[in-house]
């Protein structure tokens, strides 16, 4: 019997059939056993893949799914610091937090993302419901407002979203978004200006380098397309192409508009005269006086709001980082008014007598979407909304690279003190001390050995960046004291056991103030 596991498939079938027929087993059972590998092995009383405890060993490739990645402790420490900066800014502006499911009904996401809808992850039928993984946090937020009949809220949400994209460097299928939104009927451009102020604050605090916030208005872009002779039914498709202008040269985009989008060259050239314009208040004034645009209702509405927005941004002191860019389109369908995008930049050598700003990548974006909630409300009730989304994954990559290049030590824990001993047989006493520290809210550790070497304990502190060491020994136990050691300076102080918690709090507070 022991050699039967080496039988070929045909030999195995012959053997199995004869054995089962001899036992009076039905033909149906023979067919089932041939299909069932586990039963086959059980019949032979052997299972080379079965491990102790009844579990089966599986030969699988150890890798993360394409477009996803693991995050290591030092990376998580950097990310948590970034999250803290972002959340503190959101809270400073009065936002409250919500959460929504990671999946939504498929029909709720359909028709909200334009050509990008092909990137939505659709799930199998689950209990009679067709579901999709959320593509962003904005559409679920609009559903949340309509479903809960909320007409006024300032919220933030940090969560993962999913896109069936082709992964590349810095682009994932699963990634975080950090959103801040203001929903409600308010006076024009006041919430919008605050959103831009928040982007400015976060990028300043994170110290990522020079940045620029590009601003446009979808109504102005619609007006431009209209006066250039583009049919209204083509606006959405043309905007999707225009949104590539910061990534591809104008000549390539022109060719796409003519060859793929079937626009006549004269129309494309007229569009190009507008969408390549950038500037500030002077550009807004010039466009307001443009004889063609001034006759278009959409364009004038957009220019009026941009003019008011610029006025408020001056008061907030952020216009030095703001630029009106008529080539900014933002591909998502739900935008209805002001749109914006923040990029990290550096200056390039002048080309063709023009100084180009080459952007490293978009790190924030957003805009106004006044009609999205109305799609979900049974009565079509609209709730005007404006919001921002921080490109947190790209920011993670930038900050992680800077930390790696600077050789900065990243603390992966917040441990304040290590409880140690230079002598043997003090495990139980260390446990008593650390229990007191834990109960008092002190972040403390000790090594999981009965008698670790004292030098090993000190090295652990240095590797982990733990600032303090509490040492107990025979003399300290007898006198009711401990030694408190500063790891950086190696200075030691004798502290009464009853004063230890207070002394640690005092020292860690002083350290935090220095940083």
């Amino acid at each position: 019997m022991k050699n039967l596991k080496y039988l070929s498939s045909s030999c195995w079938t012959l053997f199995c059939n004869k054995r089962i027929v001899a036992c009076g087993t039905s033909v149906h059972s023979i067919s089932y056993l041939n299909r069932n590998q586990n039963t086959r092995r059980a019949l032979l009383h052997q299972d080379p893949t079965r491990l102790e405890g009844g579990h089966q060993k599986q030969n699988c490739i150890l890798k993360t799914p394409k477009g996803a990645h693991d995050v290591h402790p030092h990376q998580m420490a950097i990310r948590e610091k970034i999250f803290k900066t972002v959340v503190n800014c959101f809270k400073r502006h009065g936002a409250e937090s919500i959460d929504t499911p990671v999946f939504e009904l498929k029909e709720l996401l359909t028709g909200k993302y334009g050509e990008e809808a092909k990137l939505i992850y659709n799930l199998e039928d689950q209990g009679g419901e067709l579901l999709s993984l959320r593509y962003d946090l904005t559409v679920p937020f609009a559903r949340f407002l309509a479903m809960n009949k909320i007409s006024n809220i300032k919220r933030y949400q940090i969560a993962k979203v999913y896109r069936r994209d082709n992964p590349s460097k810095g682009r994932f299928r699963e990634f975080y978004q950090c959103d801040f939104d203001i929903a409600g009927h308010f006076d024009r451009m006041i919430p919008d200006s605050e959103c831009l102020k928040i982007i400015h604050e976060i990028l300043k605090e994170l110290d990522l380098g020079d940045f620029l916030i590009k601003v446009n208005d979808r109504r102005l872009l619609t007006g431009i397309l209209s006066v250039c002779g583009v049919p209204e039914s083509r606006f959405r498709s043309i905007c999707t192409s225009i949104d590539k202008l910061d990534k591809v040269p104008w000549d390539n985009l022109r060719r796409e508009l003519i060859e793929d989008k079937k626009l006549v060259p004269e129309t494309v050239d007229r569009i190009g005269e507008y969408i390549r314009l950038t500037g500030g208040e002077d550009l807004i004034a010039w466009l307001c006086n443009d004889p063609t645009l001034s006759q278009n209702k959409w364009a004038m509405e957009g220019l009026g709001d941009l003019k008011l927005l610029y006025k408020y941004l001056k008061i907030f002191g952020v216009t030095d980082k703001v630029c009106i860019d008529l080539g900014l389109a933002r591909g998502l369908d739900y935008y209805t008014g002001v749109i914006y995008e923040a990029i990290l930049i550096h200056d390039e050598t002048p080309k063709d007598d023009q100084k180009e700003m080459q952007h490293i990548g978009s790190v924030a974006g957003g805009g106004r979407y006044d009609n999205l909630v109305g799609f979900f409300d049974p009565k079509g009730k609209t709730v005007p909304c404006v919001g921002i989304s921080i490109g947190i994954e790209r920011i993670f990559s930038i900050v992680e690279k800077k930390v790696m290049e600077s050789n900065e030590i990243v603390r992966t824990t917040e441990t304040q003190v290590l409880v140690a001993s230079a002598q043997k047989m003090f495990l139980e006493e260390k446990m008593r001390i650390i229990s007191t520290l834990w109960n008092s809210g002190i972040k403390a550790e000790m090594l999981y050995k009965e008698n670790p070497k004292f030098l090993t304990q000190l090295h652990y502190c240095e590797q982990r960046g733990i600032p303090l060491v509490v040492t107990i020994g025979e003399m300290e136990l007898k006198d009711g004291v401990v030694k408190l050691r500063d790891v950086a300076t190696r200075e030691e102080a004798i502290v009464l056991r009853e004063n230890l918690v207070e002394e640690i709090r005092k020292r860690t507070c002083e350290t935090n103030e220095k940083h």
Side-chain angles (χ1 to χ4, degrees), residues 109-369:
L109 303 184
T110 303
K112 311 300 187 304
Y113 301 107
E115 293 185 6
E116 295 187 26
K118 63 182 181 291
L119 303 181
I120 293 175
Y121 269 112
N122 295 317
L123 305 178
E124 294 292 332
D125 186 343
Q126 302 293 325
E129 291 185 331
L130 293 177
L131 307 174
S132 298
L133 293 178
R134 62 188 172 204
Y135 181 87
D136 67 3
L137 301 179
T138 305
V139 172
F141 173 56
R143 190 267 308 154
F144 172 86
L145 294 179
M147 191 174 115
N148 293 282
K149 302 189 184 307
I150 297 171
S151 58
N152 191 318
I153 189 174
K154 187 188 291 185
R155 72 98 201 202
Y156 75 88
Q157 183 178 359
I158 298 177
K160 287 185 176 180
V161 299
Y162 301 86
R163 299 185 181 179
R164 196 164 49 88
D165 205 349
N166 288 322
S168 59
K169 187 175 181 180
R171 293 181 69 88
F172 302 102
R173 290 179 167 181
E174 176 194 64
F175 56 94
Y176 275 104
Q177 280 193 340
C178 298
D179 281 20
F180 172 98
D181 294 85
I182 302 173
H185 292 269
F186 304 107
D187 288 346
R188 291 163 47 225
M189 294 298 103
I190 299 176
D192 308 69
S193 59
E194 183 172 5
C195 286
L196 289 169
K197 170 67 171 169
I198 289 171
I199 293 176
H200 189 278
E201 287 180 8
I202 289 173
L203 296 184
K204 276 280 191 182
E205 288 179 48
L206 292 176
D207 193 24
L208 302 175
D210 199 11
F211 64 90
L212 183 70
I213 305 173
K214 301 190 294 183
V215 180
N216 198 8
D217 193 293
R218 285 295 280 266
R219 294 165 298 178
L220 175 56
L221 193 54
T222 297
I224 290 171
L225 295 180
S226 179
V227 301
C228 290
V230 178
E232 187 174 346
S233 60
R234 308 281 301 281
F235 286 175
R236 179 188 296 182
S237 174
I238 303 305
C239 279
T240 302
S241 294
I242 290 174
D243 198 43
K244 303 174 186 176
L245 186 56
D246 63 336
K247 305 177 187 69
V248 299
W250 164 246
D251 288 343
N252 292 10
L253 179 57
R254 183 180 184 274
R255 191 178 307 114
E256 177 181 326
L257 291 174
I258 295 172
E259 296 178 2
D260 298 341
K261 299 302 171 75
K262 307 303 179 184
L263 294 180
V264 298
E266 294 77 11
T267 298
V268 174
D269 291 336
R270 291 184 68 193
I271 293 172
E273 290 174 5
Y274 283 110
I275 66 173
R276 288 186 287 173
L277 295 173
T278 60
E281 278 186 303
D282 54 341
L283 177 59
I284 297 173
W286 184 84
L287 291 169
C288 286
N289 293 321
D290 182 275
T292 307
L293 279 181
S294 61
Q295 303 301 313
N296 185 277
K297 178 185 175 184
W298 291 319
M300 294 311 294
E301 284 182 3
L303 287 168
D305 277 354
L306 285 176
K307 187 175 182 180
L308 184 59
L309 176 67
Y310 222 87
K311 174 183 176 182
Y312 294 152
L313 293 179
K314 268 186 173 180
I315 297 171
F316 284 148
V318 301
T319 50
D320 61 315
K321 298 295 183 181
V322 173
C323 171
I324 304 298
D325 188 333
L326 300 191
L328 177 66
R330 305 283 299 167
L332 299 177
D333 280 357
Y334 49 67
Y335 288 122
T336 58
V338 170
I339 51 176
Y340 32 81
E341 185 172 276
I343 58 172
L344 301 183
I345 59 174
H346 64 275
D347 291 339
E348 285 288 315
T349 318
K351 297 177 182 178
D352 299 327
D353 298 325
Q354 290 186 350
K355 193 175 187 182
E356 288 188 331
M357 296 258 224
Q358 301 294 329
H359 68 80
I360 296 170
S362 171
V363 290
R368 176 158 288 279
Y369 52 103

Side-chain angles (χ1 to χ4, degrees), residues 23-36:
C23 297
T25 309
S26 68
V27 176
H28 173 76
S29 300
I30 295 172
S31 175
Y32 172 77
L33 288 171
N34 281 335
R35 292 196 308 267
N36 193 307

